[in-house]
Amino acid sequence: MTRDIEKVLLSQEQIAEKVAEIGAQISRDYAGKNPMIVSVLKGSFIFMADLVRAVTIPCTVDFMSVSSYGSGTSSSGEVKIVKDFDGSIEGRHLILVEDILDSGRTLSYLMKTLKSRGAASIALCTFLDKPERRVVPVEVNYKGFTVPDAFIVGYGLDYDQRYRNLPYVGVLKPSVYGGE
Ligand code: PRP
């Protein structure tokens, strides 16, 4: 697996330090609010698991799964909720957890949809941000790292469902996905 990686972009140590920072910030910002921390599957599952363990205040967790109808490496803007929350979000302070913000289409759609369901507030926490790829503006409340427009995998991010289990974030060798 590691031989498919051109270079390590974010090491395990860098990631751990950043996740601890975000966890501490959320703990301060949401003290007494019992936030509902929601992982948007699948990519965010590793970040989510580390993040909630860095949050020191009472909170609940939930999971949702969306799929964009786009093919290949970019999303189309049409988003389908494949798995919804288990409970109601009425009156809750939601924190949506994503692995990466790319075109912004998925998150912009989700925010719009969820706002109509009566949450007290909705914040967005993304592990990675690729601003160069943004098509739709999205307001980010908590961000791990800004990354260049390279093909990155690991720490939950996949290529063709593989490499999610790499403990760091790496740039994939173009030969793996048929690039130069
Ligand atoms: C990724 C990521 C976001 C979305 C971001 O999910 O987790 O949901 O793409 O892209 P956008 O900003 O262009 O909308 P993906 O569709 O790769 O699914 P996965 O999380 O299951 O890997």
Side-chain angles (χ1 to χ4, degrees):
M1 201 166 50
T2 51
R3 68 169 177 227
D4 293 344
I5 303 302
E6 194 166 75
K7 68 168 181 178
V8 174
L9 197 63
L10 300 168
S11 69
Q12 283 181 260
E13 292 73 24
Q14 281 174 290
I15 295 171
E17 200 179 310
K18 185 63 79 176
V19 173
E21 264 173 41
I22 300 175
Q25 209 184 330
I26 289 177
S27 305
R28 282 195 298 273
D29 296 349
Y30 285 84
K33 290 185 169 172
N34 185 30
M36 177 170 164
I37 306 183
V38 177
S39 160
V40 184
L41 297 170
K42 298 176 194 171
S44 67
F45 78 111
I46 291 182
F47 176 46
M48 172 76 170
D50 284 344
L51 180 67
V52 294
R53 283 178 291 177
V55 169
T56 52
I57 55 165
C59 63
T60 62
V61 300
D62 211 328
F63 300 86
M64 75 185 311
S65 179
V66 298
S67 81
S68 59
Y69 292 99
S71 59
T73 55
S74 67
S75 56
S76 65
E78 281 184 80
V79 177
K80 185 171 85 170
I81 296 179
V82 177
K83 184 223 168 288
D84 211 330
F85 305 121
D86 290 331
S88 159
I89 62 172
E90 180 101 40
R92 297 296 308 272
H93 293 280
L94 239 64
I95 304 173
L96 286 183
V97 177
E98 264 288 16
D99 54 336
I100 190 161
L101 188 56
D102 198 336
S103 71
R105 287 183 172 122
T106 307
L107 260 300
S108 135
Y109 171 88
L110 262 188
M111 296 292 252
K112 224 182 294 166
T113 306
L114 297 177
K115 271 179 186 156
S116 66
R117 295 205 204 162
S121 68
I122 307 178
L124 172 61
C125 174
T126 187
F127 174 56
L128 301 178
D129 183 13
K130 258 189 194 175
E132 286 170 55
R133 304 253 308 171
R134 197 78 81 257
V135 175
V136 185
V138 176
E139 193 192 329
V140 179
N141 304 84
Y142 303 95
K143 175 159 71 176
F145 301 91
T146 297
V147 290
D149 187 15
F151 209 123
I152 52 182
V153 293
Y155 199 69
L157 286 98
D158 74 307
Y159 168 63
D160 205 12
Q161 300 302 329
R162 288 180 295 149
Y163 308 103
R164 291 194 200 272
N165 55 324
L166 279 177
Y168 53 85
V169 172
V171 177
L172 199 59
K173 282 184 184 163
S175 56
V176 177
Y177 55 87
E180 294 291 300

